[in-house]
Amino acid sequence: MRSLLCILRYVPVCDLLLNVANVCHKLHTLCHDKTLLTNVNLSEEYQTEDLLFRRVLKQLANHVQSLSLNGCYWLSGSTLDHLARCRGVTDLDVMGCRLTPLRLSRLLSSLSLLKSLAFDVTADFNSLLLSSEAVDTLSRLSELRQTLFTPSYGVVPCCSQLRKLMLQFDIPDVTREGVGVCCQLMVGQSSVPHYQQLEEFTARLAPGEVNQTLLLLYLAVFSVHVPKRLRVFIVSIPGPNPAHWPAAPSLAQSLGQHGDLVALQLPRSWLDSLSLKRALEGNSPRHLSFSRCPALWPQVFRSLLEGGVRDGTQLISLNLSGINHVPYSECRSVEDQLVAGTMRQLAVGCSNINHLNLMHTHYHHENSPGLDGESHLCASLAKLRHLCSLTLPACALSDGLNMNHISTHNTPPSPLFQGLKKVPRVGIRNYKPDIESSLSGDSTSGLALLLAGCPFLETFELIGPGFASLLPRLEPCSRASVEPRGMCAWARGVGDAHIAALEALPRLHRLTLAGLPGVLRGTGLVQMARHCRDLRVLSLANLGSLKIMNYTPTLLDMLKHCTQLQELRLEQPYLNANTSFFEALSCCSRLQRVCLISRSGTFDPSAVETFMERCCHVIMCHIFMGGTLVACRTLEKVLLDRFSGGRSALSVVIYPLQHEDLPSVIRDIPLTLLDRITLFQSHVAQPPHLSPL
C-alpha cells in the first residue's frame, strides 16, 4: 500500500483523479488518499482545459489545504470561481490568473481559513471593492505575496498580522499610450502598512524608476520603526545605481541584534562594510546575496571566514555575482579576481552551500610548473559536496593560457614561405585538428576536479564575461558594464572539450551556456547530451563565432538525444530555423516551451507548423528573428487558429526582433513565461531561491 502511494505521488493530480482513479476500486481509494490531495500544485497542467479543471477542483474540495494555480493564465474567470468550493484551503496561489477585484472579494469571503495568499495587483484593482468578509479574511493572513503591475499597496493595509511579505514590482515607467506612470497618488494615502509583526520581507524589482519609487513608499515605515522580529530582508534592484535609502544602516544594525538573521540582500548603494559587519556578526544566515557589490567584497569574506558569522555551515545559498567586477575600461589587477585559496576556505567554513552564483566575476589560473591541480579554483569549489546549482564565469574553467599557441599564431610567417602559400578555396574551411584542439581548450583537468567533487549538480550555468542577451530580464542593467566579447583570453580557451566534460553530471537537469567564443563546432554538445539523459531545460546563446553559426550540424545531432527536454532557449545571430532544424527539434517529444532569438536569423513557416503538429505538448512558441511583420503575424495567426483549440495554454509570439513595437509585445506575454525562458536571466541563488516561498 505504501509503495503504491509513493508511486502515485509522481503522477500529476489531474491524471490521478481523472484517469488513474477510474481503473479500479482500489486505485480509486488510493488516489483519494489525503496524503496525495492535501498539497496540490496545478501550475503546469498545461493540457487541462477549463472543464477538466472544474472536475478536478470538485474532487479536491474536501481534501486540499494548499493549492497553487501559479501561472495558470489560460483559465477563465468563471473557472476560478469554483475555488470557493475548497473551503479548507489555508494556502492559495493564484498569481498569473485572471482574477478581477470582485472575484477576489468573493473568493476571500468563502475561504475563511486562509493564512497565505499570492495574487496579482492589476490596473483595475480597487481595495474599496472588497467586502467586509474579504477584509476579515485578509486581517488573519500571515503570508502575502503580491505582483504589482500598477502603483498600489494592494491588500497590504488590510493585513494586520503579516509575518511574511513578498513583493514583485513589474510596473513600466510609461503606459502603452506613452503617458508616464506616477506614484504621487499613493503618497497621500492614510492606509500605509505598518508591519508590526513582520518577520520576512522580500522585494524583487523589474527595471524602472517607478518600481524604485514605489518600493521606497512600501519601506517608509522602516525609517521610523524596524519590526523586532524581522529576520529576512531581501531587496533586489536592477541597475548600477539604485536610489539611496537612508534607513539602510539602521536596518542592518537592527537585523544583527537578535542573532536570528536568516536571509539578507541589499543593493550596493544601501550598504557599506560597517553595516554589513554589524548585520552578520553573531548570526547564522542561510541565504546571502551580494550581487554587484564590489565594495563589499573584502568584508563579505572577512565575515564568512574570520568568525563574523556564528555558524557558516548554516549557509545554503550564496550569490556573489559581480562581487569583484571592475569595468573593462579600468585596469583589472590580481586583486579584482577570485582567489582559489580564499574560495577553498569558504568551502571549508560554509560546507553546506547548495546554490552558488559567481557570474560576472573573473578567475585567471596561472598554468605554472610550480602549481598543481589543487591550486585551481575548480578544485576549491569541488569541496562543496552538496552543490545542486552553480553559475560560473567561463574563465573559471580554463587551466591557463596556452602560451605556445599564442606565440605560434601571433608570429608573422617568414617572407620566404609567403610566396609559396597555397590560396584557400573560397567558402571551404580546412579542418586542422591540432589547431582546433588548442583553440577549444584541450585541458579540462580543473573542470574534471569540480565535476568529480560535486556529483549532485542539477543546474549548471556557464556564462562568458562579454555576454549580453538581446532580450535580458534585467534591462538595461545587464548591459551597463559589459566588457567587449572575447576580451578575456582565459574565457576564449573554454570550448568543446569543456562542454563534453559535462557528461560526468548524470543528474544534470538544467544547463545554460552563453557567450563562449571558444566553441568551434559544438562537438561537446553531442557528447554531453548522450550521457545527460535527464536534461530538461537548455539555454544556448552566442556560442562560437557571431558571424556564422558554425555548430548547426552538431546542434541538430544533440537535439535528437534530448528526449526529456522540456524547455529550449536558443539565441544566435545567424540562426537558420529551417526544415532540418525543426525536424531535429521534433525529436524532443516532451518539449513544452521553445524560444528562438536571432538578430539576422530566418525561419521556415511551414516547418514551424509541422513542428507544432508533431510536438503536441508545446504550449509556448516564441520566435524573435528577422523577416517582415506581415510574415510573422501571418504565421502567428495560423498557429493559434490551428492549435489553440486543443491547447488552452498555448502562447504563440512571432515578431521581428528589430521592430519598434517589440517592448509592447513582450509586455503582453504572461509573466511566468517571461521569467522562465523568454527573457535571459540566471536562475541560481537569485531572489526566487532566496524567497521563503
Side-chain angles (χ1 to χ4, degrees), residues 418-460:
Q418 287 189 1
L420 303 177
K421 182 178 180 181
K422 181 179 179 180
V423 179
R425 293 171 60 188
V426 176
I428 304 296
R429 179 182 176 186
N430 295 329
Y431 176 64
K432 300 178 180 180
D434 57 334
I435 294 180
E436 181 167 331
S437 175
S438 60
L439 279 173
S440 63
D442 55 348
S443 177
T444 60
S445 58
L447 176 58
L449 291 172
L450 171 64
L451 301 181
C454 303
F456 303 111
L457 270 179
E458 296 181 356
T459 299
F460 184 68

Side-chain angles (χ1 to χ4, degrees), residues 252-271:
Q253 183 174 0
S254 177
L255 289 172
Q257 288 178 348
H258 304 290
D260 57 354
L261 178 67
V262 174
L264 177 66
Q265 177 179 359
L266 292 176
R268 65 179 181 181
S269 60
W270 290 17
L271 200 60

